[in-house]
Amino acid sequence: MAANILLVEDEPGIQELLKFNLTQAGHQVTAAGDAEHALKFLKTTLPDVILLDWMLPGMSGIDLCRRLRGDARYQPVPIIMLTARGEERDKVLGLDTGADDYITKPFSPRELVSRIKAVLRRRAPQMTEEAVEVAGLRLDPVSHRVQGKGIALELGPTEFRLLHFFMTHPERVYTRPQLLDQVWGDDVFVEERTVDVHIRRLRLALEPSGHAALVQTVRGSGYRFSTEVG
């Protein structure tokens, strides 16, 4: 479960240690020493996870967390607070501000990797390697296979990612820009009509097993993956 991680930590020694261990675990890490540089990075790239130190020069980590949670663009991104402040009221404040998890220093790299995995499982299930099944349609991220009612279905790589996202986020309407961010990536510049093309390809791929109707068009809004009619 490799993830693109933004690490916001001002202490060089801790920053390098965390970067090394997270890279060893298969993640890609971008480091920022303060909130200003973190916000500059976030303007062009959405990471899969943000690791955020509480005590930062300038804007504090808790204030940065509050700012990110107040912006719809960043709300889906999981945030893990890293801090030496271990009192209950500090943990409550961090979680109430919008952090998905709160790790008190010192902590082991193994614990951090485990917490990242748990947060991704909750907030970004399409990042996990767990197979998912809906209405007889089964997708396995590890083997990269899709079966519908026992029939092997052939999907291109983009259609596979699109279906994986839909199956792990059912019954919700997503606009074309949201799908571009979540499936193509925030740093990939493609036109919104590209989504429509791949939706058509996905439906064609799902037709042999009768699952094409699960990918629904919501007029004026976008697309939804649903077992309900209409």
Side-chain angles (χ1 to χ4, degrees), residues 53-55 82-87 90 102-107:
D53 185 27
W54 184 310
M55 302 298 291
L82 309 177
T83 176
R85 305 172 66 134
E87 294 187 14
D90 294 323
Y102 188 106
I103 306 179
T104 304
K105 299 176 182 178
F107 52 82

Side-chain angles (χ1 to χ4, degrees), residues 121-215:
R121 189 180 296 115
R122 295 196 307 269
R123 290 290 299 266
Q126 78 277 10
M127 291 292 298
T128 72
E129 296 180 343
E130 297 178 359
V132 58
E133 186 168 348
V134 177
L137 181 65
R138 188 176 192 276
L139 181 148
D140 187 342
V142 176
S143 64
H144 212 272
R145 289 191 174 96
V146 178
Q147 288 188 329
K149 299 177 181 178
I151 301 171
L153 303 176
E154 296 296 328
L155 276 71
T158 301
E159 287 73 46
F160 185 91
R161 294 196 306 272
L162 185 59
L163 179 61
H164 194 191
F165 179 77
F166 273 141
M167 292 181 71
T168 51
H169 298 80
E171 308 299 338
R172 295 177 58 182
V173 178
Y174 289 93
T175 64
R176 290 168 180 82
Q178 287 174 329
L179 289 173
L180 285 173
D181 282 349
Q182 296 292 334
V183 178
W184 277 259
D186 190 65
D187 57 346
V188 176
F189 298 97
V190 294
E191 295 183 358
E192 291 184 13
R193 73 181 70 179
T194 301
V195 176
D196 301 330
V197 172
H198 287 282
I199 288 287
R200 287 197 295 270
R201 292 178 182 174
L202 176 58
R203 285 173 173 156
L204 284 172
L206 296 178
E207 280 184 356
S209 63
H211 288 99
L214 296 181
V215 182

Side-chain angles (χ1 to χ4, degrees), residues 36-47 67 73-74 186 189:
E36 180 182 356
H37 286 88
L39 287 170
K40 184 176 181 180
F41 173 80
L42 288 167
K43 285 182 180 179
T44 58
T45 306
L46 281 181
R67 178 168 173 174
R73 169 181 164 82
Y74 307 117
D186 190 65
F189 298 97

Side-chain angles (χ1 to χ4, degrees), residues 42-101:
L42 288 167
K43 285 182 180 179
T44 58
T45 306
L46 281 181
D48 299 313
V49 182
I50 298 174
L51 302 180
L52 182 57
D53 185 27
W54 184 310
M55 302 298 291
L56 293 172
M59 183 188 297
S60 71
I62 201 74
D63 287 336
L64 176 57
C65 181
R66 185 178 291 111
R67 178 168 173 174
L68 295 177
R69 285 297 179 245
D71 190 322
R73 169 181 164 82
Y74 307 117
Q75 287 175 359
V77 182
I79 297 175
I80 300 177
M81 295 290 298
L82 309 177
T83 176
R85 305 172 66 134
E87 294 187 14
E88 182 180 0
R89 65 174 179 271
D90 294 323
K91 294 182 180 179
V92 171
L93 176 59
L95 295 171
D96 284 350
T97 302
D100 295 272
D101 202 353

